[in-house]
Amino acid sequence: MTIIKICGLSTPDTLAAALDSGADMVGLVFFPKSPRCVDLDTARFLADQARGRAAIVALTVDADDALIEDIVAATRPDLLQLHGHETAARVAAIKARFRRPVMKAVGIASAADVAAARDLAATLLAQADGEDRILLDAKPPKDAALPGGNGLPFDRNLVVGLDLALPFMVSGGLDPASVAEAIRLVTPWGVDVSSGVERAPGVKDPARIEAFIKAARAACDDGGDARGKVA
């Protein structure tokens, strides 16, 4: 079964929509420039709502240890998503300190970026126990304020048949109308959506969340990938 992650959730109602529709992972964003950013008190409440029903993912961008420590204390996440310029050494240091698996985002715009993702996956696997993940996202424009969540796709043909040392998710420009094709074409371990299920930047739409998850599940039933599930 392809893992489905709904990222950038910020209210109890939209989180409930994701959980009730069967999301496997829910993402909380801790990046002040993002319209999806939540404070620690809100995040604590949402994490308690989600716990036991979906894996909790805490997204940071080049965060220092103090911020990550506060996030881990507030939300007790199952996974730390690193969406900045974190090096493999920084990823290893975060894992060693916070005892959480990570999902490292890699921006994709060319074959060279895919090669970089392959090298990173191999390095992370060698450093740890194989619990880490890679997220393949569209590389943001040079003038973009956000490293992700921009609603931009990348050329999926770049990653058709891709075999990384670690399981990978695909993001970037996905929405209820496009997720099935992405699953069938790429057969990723998982898919990740944020802006594609919003009615405005940072404002999730419960109906779009439900439609996205239904479309992804239907693609799996029609022969999409089945690479296992995070406990």
Side-chain angles (χ1 to χ4, degrees), residues 3-7 25-27 55-61 78-84 86 91 94-95 100-106 120 124 131-137 166-171 189-193 230:
I3 298 301
I4 300 171
K5 175 171 172 277
I6 308 296
C7 195
M25 292 181 164
V26 292
I56 300 164
V57 181
L59 186 157
T60 64
V61 179
D78 298 290
L79 198 71
L80 294 171
Q81 181 173 331
L82 308 179
H83 218 103
E86 298 90 355
V91 172
I94 289 171
K95 283 181 58 64
R100 295 289 194 285
V102 302
M103 178 158 61
K104 180 68 185 83
V106 180
L120 175 63
L124 295 182
E131 292 185 352
D132 299 325
R133 302 290 182 260
I134 299 292
L135 173 66
L136 305 178
D137 197 1
L166 295 172
F168 68 90
M169 301 192 96
V170 169
S171 186
W189 174 79
V191 289
D192 184 5
V193 68
V230 168

Side-chain angles (χ1 to χ4, degrees), residues 42-220:
T42 300
R44 182 181 293 106
F45 182 84
L46 295 174
D48 287 344
Q49 181 182 346
R51 199 171 319 281
R53 298 187 63 188
I56 300 164
V57 181
L59 186 157
T60 64
V61 179
D62 297 317
D64 60 21
D65 284 353
L67 176 57
I68 298 176
E69 185 170 358
D70 288 343
I71 292 167
V72 169
T75 65
R76 292 183 287 139
D78 298 290
L79 198 71
L80 294 171
Q81 181 173 331
L82 308 179
H83 218 103
H85 297 91
E86 298 90 355
T87 64
R90 175 59 178 153
V91 172
I94 289 171
K95 283 181 58 64
R97 176 162 181 170
F98 298 104
R99 305 295 182 181
R100 295 289 194 285
V102 302
M103 178 158 61
K104 180 68 185 83
V106 180
I108 302 295
S110 68
D113 298 323
V114 177
R118 185 179 289 108
D119 291 344
L120 175 63
T123 299
L124 295 182
L125 180 62
Q127 290 175 346
D129 50 17
E131 292 185 352
D132 299 325
R133 302 290 182 260
I134 299 292
L135 173 66
L136 305 178
D137 197 1
K139 182 173 283 188
K142 292 182 179 180
D143 59 349
L146 304 178
N150 295 296
L152 301 174
F154 66 87
D155 183 359
R156 312 292 183 206
N157 291 303
L158 289 169
V159 295
V160 171
L162 181 63
D163 184 15
L164 295 182
L166 295 172
F168 68 90
M169 301 192 96
V170 169
S171 186
L174 295 178
D175 60 26
S178 65
V179 64
E181 181 182 4
I183 290 173
R184 295 186 187 111
L185 182 65
V186 181
T187 61
W189 174 79
V191 289
D192 184 5
V193 68
S194 186
S195 62
V197 291
E198 292 178 346
R199 64 170 65 101
V203 182
K204 291 290 186 287
D205 183 332
R208 288 181 66 80
I209 290 172
E210 181 180 6
F212 182 91
I213 294 173
K214 283 185 175 180
R217 294 288 182 233
C220 297

